[in-house]
PDB file of all heavy atoms in Angstrom:
ATOM      1  N   SER A 252     197.506  91.959  87.238  1.00 98.00           N
ATOM      2  CA  SER A 252     198.122  92.029  85.888  1.00 98.00           C
ATOM      3  C   SER A 252     197.082  91.574  84.921  1.00 98.00           C
ATOM      4  O   SER A 252     196.569  90.493  84.994  1.00 98.00           O
ATOM      5  CB  SER A 252     199.362  91.125  85.792  1.00 98.00           C
ATOM      6  OG  SER A 252     200.403  91.599  86.629  1.00 98.00           O
ATOM      7  N   LEU A 256     196.791  90.049  74.479  1.00 95.00           N
ATOM      8  CA  LEU A 256     197.499  89.760  73.229  1.00 95.00           C
ATOM      9  C   LEU A 256     196.978  90.710  72.164  1.00 95.00           C
ATOM     10  O   LEU A 256     195.824  91.013  72.088  1.00 95.00           O
ATOM     11  CB  LEU A 256     197.279  88.308  72.786  1.00 95.00           C
ATOM     12  CG  LEU A 256     198.116  87.217  73.357  1.00 95.00           C
ATOM     13  CD1 LEU A 256     198.077  87.203  74.875  1.00 95.00           C
ATOM     14  CD2 LEU A 256     197.779  85.851  72.815  1.00 95.00           C
ATOM     15  N   ASN A 259     198.195  94.294  65.315  1.00 93.00           N
ATOM     16  CA  ASN A 259     197.673  95.217  64.300  1.00 93.00           C
ATOM     17  C   ASN A 259     196.284  95.695  64.562  1.00 93.00           C
ATOM     18  O   ASN A 259     195.436  95.751  63.659  1.00 93.00           O
ATOM     19  CB  ASN A 259     197.773  94.572  62.915  1.00 93.00           C
ATOM     20  CG  ASN A 259     199.220  94.538  62.403  1.00 93.00           C
ATOM     21  OD1 ASN A 259     200.064  95.312  62.822  1.00 93.00           O
ATOM     22  ND2 ASN A 259     199.460  93.621  61.551  1.00 93.00           N
ATOM     23  N   LEU A 264     192.650  98.736  70.296  1.00 95.00           N
ATOM     24  CA  LEU A 264     193.367  98.568  71.516  1.00 95.00           C
ATOM     25  C   LEU A 264     193.329  99.829  72.354  1.00 95.00           C
ATOM     26  O   LEU A 264     193.095  99.770  73.590  1.00 95.00           O
ATOM     27  CB  LEU A 264     194.836  98.180  71.190  1.00 95.00           C
ATOM     28  CG  LEU A 264     195.812  98.087  72.371  1.00 95.00           C
ATOM     29  CD1 LEU A 264     195.352  97.052  73.378  1.00 95.00           C
ATOM     30  CD2 LEU A 264     197.213  97.806  71.834  1.00 95.00           C
ATOM     31  N   ASP A 269     191.357 102.959  76.996  1.00 96.00           N
ATOM     32  CA  ASP A 269     190.714 104.154  77.514  1.00 96.00           C
ATOM     33  C   ASP A 269     189.688 103.854  78.562  1.00 96.00           C
ATOM     34  O   ASP A 269     189.487 104.650  79.507  1.00 96.00           O
ATOM     35  CB  ASP A 269     190.060 104.923  76.334  1.00 96.00           C
ATOM     36  CG  ASP A 269     191.104 105.670  75.476  1.00 96.00           C
ATOM     37  OD1 ASP A 269     192.253 105.818  75.924  1.00 96.00           O
ATOM     38  OD2 ASP A 269     190.718 106.091  74.366  1.00 96.00           O
ATOM     39  N   VAL A 282     199.837  93.908  80.846  1.00 98.00           N
ATOM     40  CA  VAL A 282     200.959  93.310  80.134  1.00 98.00           C
ATOM     41  C   VAL A 282     200.516  93.092  78.720  1.00 98.00           C
ATOM     42  O   VAL A 282     199.667  92.211  78.391  1.00 98.00           O
ATOM     43  CB  VAL A 282     201.373  91.976  80.786  1.00 98.00           C
ATOM     44  CG1 VAL A 282     202.540  91.329  80.030  1.00 98.00           C
ATOM     45  CG2 VAL A 282     201.753  92.184  82.265  1.00 98.00           C
ATOM     46  N   ASP A 285     202.661  91.682  72.310  1.00 95.00           N
ATOM     47  CA  ASP A 285     202.501  91.991  70.865  1.00 95.00           C
ATOM     48  C   ASP A 285     203.090  90.811  70.097  1.00 95.00           C
ATOM     49  O   ASP A 285     204.214  90.384  70.309  1.00 95.00           O
ATOM     50  CB  ASP A 285     203.268  93.257  70.532  1.00 95.00           C
ATOM     51  CG  ASP A 285     202.988  93.660  69.052  1.00 95.00           C
ATOM     52  OD1 ASP A 285     203.690  93.177  68.174  1.00 95.00           O
ATOM     53  OD2 ASP A 285     202.018  94.387  68.862  1.00 95.00           O
ATOM     54  N   THR A 286     202.247  90.262  69.167  1.00 92.00           N
ATOM     55  CA  THR A 286     202.647  89.100  68.400  1.00 92.00           C
ATOM     56  C   THR A 286     203.044  89.389  67.006  1.00 92.00           C
ATOM     57  O   THR A 286     202.924  88.558  66.117  1.00 92.00           O
ATOM     58  CB  THR A 286     201.452  88.090  68.383  1.00 92.00           C
ATOM     59  OG1 THR A 286     200.328  88.703  67.766  1.00 92.00           O
ATOM     60  CG2 THR A 286     201.043  87.688  69.776  1.00 92.00           C
ATOM     61  N   VAL A 301     202.533 105.193  78.053  1.00 87.00           N
ATOM     62  CA  VAL A 301     201.206 104.926  78.546  1.00 87.00           C
ATOM     63  C   VAL A 301     201.337 104.310  79.916  1.00 87.00           C
ATOM     64  O   VAL A 301     201.822 103.165  80.072  1.00 87.00           O
ATOM     65  CB  VAL A 301     200.413 104.016  77.616  1.00 87.00           C
ATOM     66  CG1 VAL A 301     198.983 103.802  78.167  1.00 87.00           C
ATOM     67  CG2 VAL A 301     200.347 104.688  76.237  1.00 87.00           C
ATOM     68  N   VAL A 304     201.012 100.401  81.398  1.00 96.00           N
ATOM     69  CA  VAL A 304     201.041  99.414  80.242  1.00 96.00           C
ATOM     70  C   VAL A 304     202.499  99.048  79.976  1.00 96.00           C
ATOM     71  O   VAL A 304     203.310  99.955  79.730  1.00 96.00           O
ATOM     72  CB  VAL A 304     200.387 100.020  78.980  1.00 96.00           C
ATOM     73  CG1 VAL A 304     200.486  99.033  77.820  1.00 96.00           C
ATOM     74  CG2 VAL A 304     198.925 100.368  79.213  1.00 96.00           C
ATOM     75  N   ARG A 327     203.599  90.679  87.015  1.00 97.00           N
ATOM     76  CA  ARG A 327     204.061  90.958  88.342  1.00 97.00           C
ATOM     77  C   ARG A 327     203.016  90.815  89.379  1.00 97.00           C
ATOM     78  O   ARG A 327     203.291  90.856  90.604  1.00 97.00           O
ATOM     79  CB  ARG A 327     204.645  92.371  88.348  1.00 97.00           C
ATOM     80  CG  ARG A 327     205.837  92.558  87.460  1.00 97.00           C
ATOM     81  CD  ARG A 327     206.207  94.025  87.293  1.00 97.00           C
ATOM     82  NE  ARG A 327     207.352  94.231  86.414  1.00 97.00           N
ATOM     83  CZ  ARG A 327     207.720  95.371  85.884  1.00 97.00           C
ATOM     84  NH1 ARG A 327     206.952  96.431  86.104  1.00 97.00           N
ATOM     85  NH2 ARG A 327     208.794  95.473  85.041  1.00 97.00           N
ATOM     86  N   MET A 330     197.157  88.570  91.012  1.00 98.00           N
ATOM     87  CA  MET A 330     195.958  88.213  90.236  1.00 98.00           C
ATOM     88  C   MET A 330     196.264  88.421  88.724  1.00 98.00           C
ATOM     89  O   MET A 330     196.994  89.349  88.379  1.00 98.00           O
ATOM     90  CB  MET A 330     194.800  89.110  90.613  1.00 98.00           C
ATOM     91  CG  MET A 330     194.151  88.755  91.969  1.00 98.00           C
ATOM     92  SD  MET A 330     192.731  89.902  92.229  1.00 98.00           S
ATOM     93  CE  MET A 330     191.975  89.099  93.641  1.00 98.00           C
ATOM     94  N   PRO A 340     185.663  96.332  78.348  1.00 97.00           N
ATOM     95  CA  PRO A 340     185.190  95.887  79.644  1.00 97.00           C
ATOM     96  C   PRO A 340     184.119  96.685  80.187  1.00 97.00           C
ATOM     97  O   PRO A 340     184.020  97.929  79.918  1.00 97.00           O
ATOM     98  CB  PRO A 340     186.462  96.068  80.530  1.00 97.00           C
ATOM     99  CG  PRO A 340     187.190  97.206  79.896  1.00 97.00           C
ATOM    100  CD  PRO A 340     186.933  97.095  78.396  1.00 97.00           C
ATOM    101  N   GLU A 346     186.544  95.691  89.288  1.00 98.00           N
ATOM    102  CA  GLU A 346     185.979  95.528  90.639  1.00 98.00           C
ATOM    103  C   GLU A 346     185.298  94.190  90.853  1.00 98.00           C
ATOM    104  O   GLU A 346     185.493  93.528  91.849  1.00 98.00           O
ATOM    105  CB  GLU A 346     185.006  96.677  90.949  1.00 98.00           C
ATOM    106  CG  GLU A 346     184.390  96.618  92.302  1.00 98.00           C
ATOM    107  CD  GLU A 346     183.343  97.741  92.530  1.00 98.00           C
ATOM    108  OE1 GLU A 346     183.066  98.477  91.563  1.00 98.00           O
ATOM    109  OE2 GLU A 346     182.844  97.838  93.642  1.00 98.00           O
ATOM    110  N   ARG A 347     184.508  93.814  89.869  1.00 98.00           N
ATOM    111  CA  ARG A 347     183.748  92.554  89.956  1.00 98.00           C
ATOM    112  C   ARG A 347     184.673  91.362  89.842  1.00 98.00           C
ATOM    113  O   ARG A 347     184.511  90.364  90.559  1.00 98.00           O
ATOM    114  CB  ARG A 347     182.666  92.562  88.912  1.00 98.00           C
ATOM    115  CG  ARG A 347     181.724  91.399  89.126  1.00 98.00           C
ATOM    116  CD  ARG A 347     180.444  91.547  88.304  1.00 98.00           C
ATOM    117  NE  ARG A 347     179.522  90.542  88.781  1.00 98.00           N
ATOM    118  CZ  ARG A 347     178.547  90.762  89.637  1.00 98.00           C
ATOM    119  NH1 ARG A 347     178.361  91.970  90.161  1.00 98.00           N
ATOM    120  NH2 ARG A 347     177.711  89.797  90.037  1.00 98.00           N
ATOM    121  N   MET A 361     181.013  86.576  81.123  1.00 97.00           N
ATOM    122  CA  MET A 361     180.256  86.647  79.848  1.00 97.00           C
ATOM    123  C   MET A 361     180.943  87.514  78.788  1.00 97.00           C
ATOM    124  O   MET A 361     181.572  88.505  79.144  1.00 97.00           O
ATOM    125  CB  MET A 361     178.840  87.243  80.061  1.00 97.00           C
ATOM    126  CG  MET A 361     177.968  86.452  80.974  1.00 97.00           C
ATOM    127  SD  MET A 361     177.311  84.981  80.180  1.00 97.00           S
ATOM    128  CE  MET A 361     175.985  85.711  79.210  1.00 97.00           C
ATOM    129  N   ILE A 367     177.410  94.252  66.601  1.00 85.00           N
ATOM    130  CA  ILE A 367     176.528  93.431  65.775  1.00 85.00           C
ATOM    131  C   ILE A 367     175.157  93.395  66.408  1.00 85.00           C
ATOM    132  O   ILE A 367     174.994  92.866  67.523  1.00 85.00           O
ATOM    133  CB  ILE A 367     177.068  91.985  65.626  1.00 85.00           C
ATOM    134  CG1 ILE A 367     178.471  92.010  64.969  1.00 85.00           C
ATOM    135  CG2 ILE A 367     176.143  91.142  64.838  1.00 85.00           C
ATOM    136  CD1 ILE A 367     178.478  92.429  63.509  1.00 85.00           C
ATOM    137  N   ALA A 377     173.409  79.181  69.900  1.00 91.00           N
ATOM    138  CA  ALA A 377     174.358  78.186  70.373  1.00 91.00           C
ATOM    139  C   ALA A 377     175.641  78.183  69.520  1.00 91.00           C
ATOM    140  O   ALA A 377     176.646  77.608  69.910  1.00 91.00           O
ATOM    141  CB  ALA A 377     173.735  76.833  70.321  1.00 91.00           C
ATOM    142  N   HIS A 389     175.768  79.901  79.123  1.00 95.00           N
ATOM    143  CA  HIS A 389     176.613  80.659  80.094  1.00 95.00           C
ATOM    144  C   HIS A 389     175.772  81.447  81.096  1.00 95.00           C
ATOM    145  O   HIS A 389     176.278  81.947  82.078  1.00 95.00           O
ATOM    146  CB  HIS A 389     177.519  81.666  79.346  1.00 95.00           C
ATOM    147  CG  HIS A 389     178.701  80.985  78.736  1.00 95.00           C
ATOM    148  ND1 HIS A 389     179.048  81.019  77.413  1.00 95.00           N
ATOM    149  CD2 HIS A 389     179.740  80.256  79.329  1.00 95.00           C
ATOM    150  CE1 HIS A 389     180.164  80.363  77.164  1.00 95.00           C
ATOM    151  NE2 HIS A 389     180.595  79.850  78.333  1.00 95.00           N
ATOM    152  N   ALA A 414     201.172  77.087  87.641  1.00 97.00           N
ATOM    153  CA  ALA A 414     201.159  75.711  87.951  1.00 97.00           C
ATOM    154  C   ALA A 414     200.469  74.919  86.848  1.00 97.00           C
ATOM    155  O   ALA A 414     200.873  73.779  86.610  1.00 97.00           O
ATOM    156  CB  ALA A 414     200.407  75.449  89.295  1.00 97.00           C
ATOM    157  N   LEU A 424     199.507  81.225  65.326  1.00 54.00           N
ATOM    158  CA  LEU A 424     199.365  82.633  65.037  1.00 54.00           C
ATOM    159  C   LEU A 424     199.693  82.980  63.546  1.00 54.00           C
ATOM    160  O   LEU A 424     199.779  84.089  63.157  1.00 54.00           O
ATOM    161  CB  LEU A 424     200.294  83.435  65.966  1.00 54.00           C
ATOM    162  CG  LEU A 424     199.944  83.398  67.395  1.00 54.00           C
ATOM    163  CD1 LEU A 424     201.071  83.977  68.256  1.00 54.00           C
ATOM    164  CD2 LEU A 424     198.662  84.164  67.669  1.00 54.00           C
ATOM    165  N   VAL A 433     193.274  80.722  63.218  1.00 53.00           N
ATOM    166  CA  VAL A 433     193.181  79.313  63.472  1.00 53.00           C
ATOM    167  C   VAL A 433     193.096  79.140  64.975  1.00 53.00           C
ATOM    168  O   VAL A 433     194.084  79.295  65.712  1.00 53.00           O
ATOM    169  CB  VAL A 433     194.397  78.541  62.905  1.00 53.00           C
ATOM    170  CG1 VAL A 433     194.230  77.065  63.138  1.00 53.00           C
ATOM    171  CG2 VAL A 433     194.544  78.783  61.414  1.00 53.00           C
ATOM    172  N   ASP A 455     180.801  83.849  86.631  1.00 97.00           N
ATOM    173  CA  ASP A 455     180.001  84.945  87.067  1.00 97.00           C
ATOM    174  C   ASP A 455     179.309  85.589  85.821  1.00 97.00           C
ATOM    175  O   ASP A 455     179.998  86.253  85.040  1.00 97.00           O
ATOM    176  CB  ASP A 455     180.921  85.994  87.775  1.00 97.00           C
ATOM    177  CG  ASP A 455     180.143  87.202  88.264  1.00 97.00           C
ATOM    178  OD1 ASP A 455     178.901  87.257  88.057  1.00 97.00           O
ATOM    179  OD2 ASP A 455     180.751  88.108  88.894  1.00 97.00           O
ATOM    180  N   ARG A 468     182.857  87.738  60.345  1.00 84.00           N
ATOM    181  CA  ARG A 468     182.772  86.507  61.167  1.00 84.00           C
ATOM    182  C   ARG A 468     181.452  85.807  61.044  1.00 84.00           C
ATOM    183  O   ARG A 468     181.271  84.707  61.439  1.00 84.00           O
ATOM    184  CB  ARG A 468     183.002  86.842  62.647  1.00 84.00           C
ATOM    185  CG  ARG A 468     184.477  87.279  62.920  1.00 84.00           C
ATOM    186  CD  ARG A 468     184.743  87.125  64.389  1.00 84.00           C
ATOM    187  NE  ARG A 468     186.045  87.668  64.774  1.00 84.00           N
ATOM    188  CZ  ARG A 468     186.623  87.502  65.960  1.00 84.00           C
ATOM    189  NH1 ARG A 468     186.047  86.779  66.830  1.00 84.00           N
ATOM    190  NH2 ARG A 468     187.803  88.049  66.189  1.00 84.00           N
ATOM    191  N   LEU A 469     180.445  86.532  60.490  1.00 89.00           N
ATOM    192  CA  LEU A 469     179.102  85.914  60.310  1.00 89.00           C
ATOM    193  C   LEU A 469     178.895  85.371  58.938  1.00 89.00           C
ATOM    194  O   LEU A 469     177.819  85.012  58.553  1.00 89.00           O
ATOM    195  CB  LEU A 469     178.015  86.969  60.663  1.00 89.00           C
ATOM    196  CG  LEU A 469     178.106  87.509  62.067  1.00 89.00           C
ATOM    197  CD1 LEU A 469     176.943  88.536  62.253  1.00 89.00           C
ATOM    198  CD2 LEU A 469     178.025  86.433  63.114  1.00 89.00           C
TER     199      LEU A 469
END
Side-chain angles (χ1 to χ4, degrees):
S252 293
L256 274 57
N259 286 336
L264 174 61
D269 285 344
V282 179
D285 188 272
T286 61
V301 181
V304 177
R327 297 167 179 166
M330 286 181 168
E346 178 184 7
R347 191 166 190 96
M361 296 285 281
I367 299 291
H389 281 122
L424 295 169
V433 181
D455 181 358
R468 292 201 189 189
L469 300 181

